[in-house]
Amino acid sequence: MKDYRVLLVDDEPDILEFLGYNLKKEGYQVTLASNGHDAISLARETRPHLIILDVMMPEMDGIETCAEIRRDALLKETLIVFLTARGEDYSQIAGFEAGADDYITKPIKPKVLISRISAILRRSKAAEAEKNVMTLKEFSIDKERYVVIKDGNDILLPRKEFELLSFLASRPNRVFTRDEIFSTVWGNDVIVGDRTIDVHIRRIREKLQIANIKTIKGVGYKFET
Amino acid sequence: MKDYRVLLVDDEPDILEFLGYNLKKEGYQVTLASNGHDAISLARETRPHLIILDVMMPEMDGIETCAEIRRDALLKETLIVFLTARGEDYSQIAGFEAGADDYITKPIKPKVLISRISAILRRSKAAEAEKNVMTLKEFSIDKERYVVIKDGNDILLPRKEFELLSFLASRPNRVFTRDEIFSTVWGNDVIVGDRTIDVHIRRIREKLQIANIKTIKGVGYKFET
DNA sequence: ACGTAAAGTTAATAATTTATTAAGAAATGA
DNA sequence: TCATTTCTTAATAAATTATTAACTTTACGT
C-alpha cells in the first residue's frame, strides 16, 4: 500500500473513471471531484497529498482552482499536477504562475501518469525527509525548524513537549508505556517523577487543541489517527 | 493443518467441485457457494479468511458481491480473490475498484491457485503479526493499539480484562485453570479473592457479547472457537 | 430429586492511575 | 545579572479500575 491520498479533478466522467481506476490499482487512495468547487471542499476534508487537476473545466477552471488552493492556509502545501491538452500553451504559463508542481499532457497513458505521480510524490517525500518533516493528517511536525504546523500556522512547543509529541506521532495508534516514553524522550539515566509526563501531555493537548492523544489507563499513551 | 477458512464462489458446479477438492486437499476449510447472495450470507456465518469469487455469475456478479462485502462492517477486512476469464478486461478495472486483493485468470491450474492463495494469506498474516494483531473468528485483538475489534468497531477494555481475554484467546479451546490464570495475568505474588476472576470474565462476556468463554466447572475457563 | 460445591451476579468500596493546579527550580537568553 | 521561559515536583482532585463480600443461581454426583 502506497498510502497516499490523491484527489482527482476532471469534468469528464470517463477520464475520472479511467484515471481513478489506474491510480487505485496502484494502491493510491483516490477521491474524485468533477469541478473546482467540489475539489476544494473535498480537499479540505480529505487532505490529499496530491491533487490532479484538469485545466479545462467549465465554471471554475484548473488555474483558478489551483490559485484558490494556494491561498488556503490548510491546503497551500498540497502538491498539484495539471492535466493539460497538448498545445494549450497558455495554460502552462498561467499554471506555473498559479503554483502547479508538475504537468501531464493529454492524451494520458496510464504508465506515464503513474510514473510521474510516483516520481513527484517520491521527490516531495525525499524533500520532506531531508527537511525532517513528518506529515500527519491533523498537522505536520517539522523537526528542522522545530515547529508543529497546524492549519497553516506554526505552533511553537518547548523542547520536551515537542519531543514527546514527535515520539508519540512517530508511530500513530501504537500505545507507548510510560517507560518507553521516559527512556526515549528523557533517556535512561534521567529520573523524573511520574506526573511529569502527564503535565507535558496536558500542555500538548491544550496547545494543539487536539483530542488525538489518548490515555490507556494502566498502559500508557497513544497518538490516535 | 493450514487452519484457514476459504469461501469459494462460482456458479459452475464443476469448478466448485474441482477447486474445492484441491483446496481441501491442501488443508483449507472450504465452504462453497454458487451465487452472490449465498456467498454473502455464508460469509457472515463462517467469517472466512479469504473469499474466492468468480466474476461472471448470473444475477449478482462477482463485482457486485465484492462491493457488497466491502460495504459490510463485519466482512470488509476479508481478503478477496477474483476468478476471471482471460480477456475479461473490463472486470479487472471494475474489480479493483470494487476492492479485490488479487486476481486469478481462468483456466486455473490447481498449483497456481494454491500458490497464489497461500501467498496472499501469508502476506496478510505477516502484516498482522508485524502489527501485533491476533485474529479470531469473532473478533481480533490488537495488542499494539490495545483494543479489541469486533464487527469493525473498536472495543476498549480495561487492562485486566484485556489481558485476561488475550490470555484465554492466546490458546483457543485449551482450558486454563484459575491458578494458571492468576499466575499469568496477576502474577505469583499477588493474592486476590476467588470471585475476582469471575467478575472480570463476566464483564468481558458482557462487553463483547460473546458466548465463547466457557466455564468448565471445577477446572477453569476456556475460549472456545 | 437433593444437597453441596462451584460459579454467577451485584453493588459497595478500595485501590490505582491519571489530571490538574500552582509553585519552585533550572535553564535560557538578552 | 535579571527576566523569562521551560521543566519538574508536590499536593490534591477526579476518574477509572480492581476487588471484595453477600447473595443467588447453576451444575454435578449420589
Side-chain angles (χ1 to χ4, degrees):
Chain A
M1 193 48 134
K2 294 236 170 36
D3 227 21
Y4 280 112
R5 294 181 297 279
V6 175
L7 173 61
L8 182 57
V9 194
D10 200 307
D11 60 313
E12 293 175 63
D14 291 350
I15 296 197
L16 229 45
E17 189 187 343
F18 176 64
L19 299 182
Y21 154 69
N22 278 289
L23 290 167
K24 275 182 196 156
K25 200 176 62 177
E26 287 298 310
Y28 293 103
Q29 297 169 43
V30 184
T31 312
L32 305 177
S34 58
N35 63 66
H37 297 290
D38 290 3
I40 288 168
S41 63
L42 280 169
R44 287 217 183 84
E45 253 177 62
T46 64
R47 298 293 182 83
H49 298 89
L50 171 71
I51 301 177
I52 303 175
L53 204 48
D54 188 28
V55 170
M56 288 286 283
M57 290 188 297
E59 272 234 39
M60 186 181 189
D61 70 19
I63 311 285
E64 251 184 281
T65 312
C66 176
E68 181 66 31
I69 288 164
R70 288 289 180 247
R71 247 177 271 127
D72 187 322
L74 281 68
L75 300 174
K76 64 169 159 240
E77 298 296 323
T78 317
L79 296 170
I80 296 178
V81 174
F82 272 129
L83 299 181
T84 146
R86 190 180 303 286
E88 278 178 28
D89 257 2
Y90 83 97
S91 64
Q92 295 244 358
I93 298 172
F96 270 117
E97 211 129 287
D101 296 287
D102 202 0
Y103 270 88
I104 303 179
T105 355
K106 292 180 180 179
I108 298 155
K109 293 187 183 123
K111 292 218 171 167
V112 174
L113 174 78
I114 296 301
S115 75
R116 291 289 278 282
I117 284 179
S118 89
I120 198 175
L121 285 170
R122 193 173 344 106
R123 216 186 307 142
S124 117
K125 192 181 163 194
E128 281 205 342
E130 195 162 331
K131 286 193 297 177
N132 248 303
V133 185
M134 187 192 307
T135 307
L136 289 301
K137 197 178 173 192
E138 29 286 297
F139 54 78
S140 23
I141 299 177
D142 186 333
K143 289 196 181 179
E144 186 174 287
R145 299 178 43 228
Y146 234 82
V147 289
V148 175
I149 300 136
K150 195 192 170 221
D151 302 343
N153 303 313
D154 285 5
I155 298 175
L156 286 154
L157 296 182
R159 202 174 79 205
K160 279 268 138 51
E161 288 165 40
F162 186 84
E163 283 170 2
L164 176 50
L165 177 66
S166 301
F167 178 53
L168 292 178
S170 71
R171 203 108 162 38
N173 294 312
R174 122 133 229 219
V175 182
F176 291 102
T177 63
R178 279 160 186 277
D179 283 351
E180 287 173 317
I181 294 171
F182 276 134
S183 63
T184 311
V185 179
W186 272 262
N188 287 306
D189 37 346
V190 195
I191 295 165
V192 288
D194 252 2
R195 294 307 106 227
T196 305
I197 283 185
D198 308 32
V199 174
H200 287 299
I201 291 276
R202 181 182 171 282
R203 297 212 174 113
I204 295 170
R205 284 172 170 156
E206 189 177 64
K207 287 182 191 159
L208 293 199
Q209 310 256 35
I210 51 169
N212 302 50
I213 299 177
K214 301 284 184 188
T215 306
I216 312 296
K217 223 165 164 162
V219 187
Y221 293 94
K222 69 173 165 179
F223 178 86
E224 205 170 59
T225 54
Chain B
M1 191 48 133
K2 293 237 169 35
D3 226 21
Y4 280 113
R5 295 181 298 281
V6 175
L7 172 61
L8 182 58
V9 193
D10 201 308
D11 60 311
E12 293 176 61
D14 292 351
I15 295 196
L16 227 46
E17 191 187 341
F18 175 64
L19 299 182
Y21 161 71
N22 278 289
L23 288 167
K24 276 182 196 152
K25 202 176 61 178
E26 285 298 309
Y28 294 103
Q29 297 168 42
V30 185
T31 313
L32 305 176
S34 58
N35 63 67
H37 298 291
D38 290 3
I40 288 169
S41 62
L42 278 169
R44 287 217 183 85
E45 256 177 60
T46 65
R47 297 294 183 83
H49 298 89
L50 171 72
I51 301 178
I52 303 175
L53 204 48
D54 187 28
V55 171
M56 288 287 283
M57 290 188 297
E59 272 235 39
M60 187 180 189
D61 69 19
I63 312 285
E64 252 184 280
T65 312
C66 176
E68 181 67 29
I69 288 165
R70 288 288 180 247
R71 248 178 270 125
D72 187 322
L74 281 68
L75 300 174
K76 63 168 159 244
E77 299 294 324
T78 317
L79 297 169
I80 296 178
V81 173
F82 272 130
L83 298 182
T84 147
R86 191 179 302 286
E88 279 178 28
D89 256 3
Y90 84 96
S91 65
Q92 295 243 359
I93 299 180
F96 268 114
E97 209 127 292
D101 296 289
D102 202 0
Y103 271 88
I104 302 179
T105 354
K106 292 179 181 179
I108 298 156
K109 294 187 183 124
K111 291 217 172 171
V112 174
L113 175 78
I114 297 300
S115 77
R116 291 289 278 282
I117 284 178
S118 87
I120 198 174
L121 286 169
R122 192 173 345 106
R123 215 186 307 143
S124 114
K125 191 179 161 194
E128 283 204 339
E130 197 165 328
K131 286 192 295 176
N132 236 304
V133 193
M134 189 192 304
T135 305
L136 289 301
K137 193 178 172 192
E138 28 288 301
F139 54 80
S140 23
I141 301 177
D142 188 332
K143 289 195 180 176
E144 186 171 298
R145 297 202 301 129
Y146 229 83
V147 289
V148 176
I149 300 137
K150 197 193 168 219
D151 302 343
N153 302 313
D154 285 5
I155 298 176
L156 288 156
L157 298 182
R159 203 174 74 185
K160 278 265 141 50
E161 287 165 40
F162 187 85
E163 283 170 2
L164 175 50
L165 177 66
S166 300
F167 179 53
L168 292 177
S170 71
R171 203 105 161 38
N173 295 312
R174 120 135 229 219
V175 183
F176 292 102
T177 64
R178 280 159 181 276
D179 282 352
E180 285 174 315
I181 293 171
F182 276 133
S183 64
T184 310
V185 180
W186 273 260
N188 287 306
D189 36 345
V190 196
I191 295 163
V192 289
D194 249 5
R195 295 303 105 230
T196 304
I197 283 185
D198 306 36
V199 174
H200 287 298
I201 291 276
R202 182 182 168 281
R203 296 208 177 118
I204 295 171
R205 284 172 170 157
E206 186 177 67
K207 286 183 191 159
L208 293 199
Q209 311 255 36
I210 51 169
N212 302 54
I213 299 177
K214 300 287 183 188
T215 306
I216 313 297
K217 211 165 168 159
V219 188
Y221 293 94
K222 70 171 167 179
F223 179 85
E224 204 171 59
T225 55

